[in-house]
Amino acid sequence: MRKKLVVGNWKMYGNLIENEQLLNTIVSDLAGLKIEQYAVCVPYPYLSSVQNKLKNTNISWGAQNVSQYHKGAYTGEVSASMLNDFGCTFVIIGHSERRSFFGENNDIVAEKYVAAQSEKLIPILCVGETLEQRDRGITKQIIQEQLMTVINKAGVESLRKAVIAYEPVWAIGTGKTATPNQAQEVHVFIRNSIGTQDINIAKESTILYGGSVKASNAAELFAMPDIDGGLIGGASLVADDFVAICNTLNN
Ligand code: PEP
């Protein structure tokens, strides 16, 4: 059985007081539900307080980015081993906001993926097309390139210890969600692409959908056969919404 997962991406939001309030509700409302189905990926400065709050709960945590370098004179960067010091399970790699605002191309994303796995972090590898690419009919080609650059560098076996997130760029933070059928079509494509390399890994790979998932649309998305949960941005900052989305996974 594939692992199902809901991950919150807090992006660059929050402060110590708001985080505390958000986590208080999430921790108490999700207590007792299945282990390792939920996680939050938070800004670096809050990792220590989030670790203290979430250790001994059924919610994991992680970061939203990591350096491709292990150590050295890389001012402002954070290494995978540093994330390990704060008990991270996950790290988001290649989010479209990193790709578009910070120049992360497929090769850099692949290097970061390898760096994360070298420290036993689980990369959540984001792939997805822009609206312009979808309109040009090259969605699958774009996703294939994003995926294959990582597989060529890290090997298909590496996907056993990774999560993939399909996030159409046009759906992130826009309120426009892919329809369940649109998302399912791409999820199948991703699974089949992995399947050309290794059918068992393809079957076992957890593939999340991300892009304006809300409490009101999570159920129909998560009901699709190849959607194994979600990567949630805006709605993960509202405790009741995030909890509702997590609960959807159990239905
Ligand atoms: C995200 O940040 O990965 C995301 C999917 O954002 P949102 O849910 O706000 O569209």
Side-chain angles (χ1 to χ4, degrees), residues 9 11 95 97 126 167 171-175 210-213 231-235:
N9 171 19
K11 311 194 189 213
H95 190 281
E97 288 152 15
C126 298
E167 297 211 306
I172 299 177
T174 58
S212 297
V213 177
L231 180 55
I232 320 296

Side-chain angles (χ1 to χ4, degrees), residues 107-118:
D107 291 323
I108 294 173
V109 168
E111 285 174 20
K112 290 184 174 216
Y113 175 102
V114 169
Q117 285 197 328
S118 73

Side-chain angles (χ1 to χ4, degrees), residues 77-245:
E77 289 292 280
V78 171
S79 72
S81 69
M82 292 172 186
L83 297 184
N84 255 336
D85 279 346
F86 294 95
C88 291
T89 301
F90 295 102
V91 58
I92 298 173
I93 303 281
H95 190 281
S96 75
E97 288 152 15
R98 301 289 324 162
R99 292 179 189 261
S100 62
F101 301 140
F102 300 98
E104 292 187 12
N105 60 26
N106 286 341
D107 291 323
I108 294 173
V109 168
E111 285 174 20
K112 290 184 174 216
Y113 175 102
V114 169
Q117 285 197 328
S118 73
E119 291 291 337
K120 309 268 184 285
L121 296 166
I122 299 175
I124 300 172
L125 172 67
C126 298
V127 297
E129 81 288 0
T130 62
L131 188 55
E132 191 252 343
Q133 290 162 338
R134 175 162 280 261
D135 288 345
R136 281 173 54 209
I138 57 169
T139 295
K140 290 178 180 168
Q141 181 190 324
I142 293 297
I143 287 168
Q144 177 87 357
E145 282 164 12
Q146 292 171 336
L147 190 62
M148 285 317 296
T149 310
V150 169
I151 292 180
N152 287 341
K153 186 159 185 75
V156 69
E157 283 288 322
S158 73
L159 292 176
R160 288 191 194 280
K161 302 222 162 85
V163 170
I164 295 170
Y166 168 54
E167 297 211 306
V169 179
W170 47 272
I172 299 177
T174 58
K176 263 191 229 160
T177 316
T179 65
N181 284 330
Q182 275 176 325
Q184 167 67 12
E185 186 188 350
V186 178
H187 281 235
V188 169
F189 174 75
I190 293 170
R191 206 176 293 292
N192 287 345
S193 299
I194 300 168
T196 61
Q197 313 253 328
D198 189 307
I199 192 69
N200 290 323
I201 294 176
K203 282 187 196 148
E204 285 160 24
S205 289
T206 295
I207 308 177
L208 309 181
Y209 169 77
S212 297
V213 177
K214 306 183 242 321
S216 57
N217 60 21
E220 54 178 10
L221 285 160
F222 297 170
M224 301 310 280
D226 287 278
I227 299 182
D228 306 313
L231 180 55
I232 320 296
S236 73
L237 297 165
V238 181
D240 290 346
D241 289 353
F242 188 64
V243 166
I245 293 168

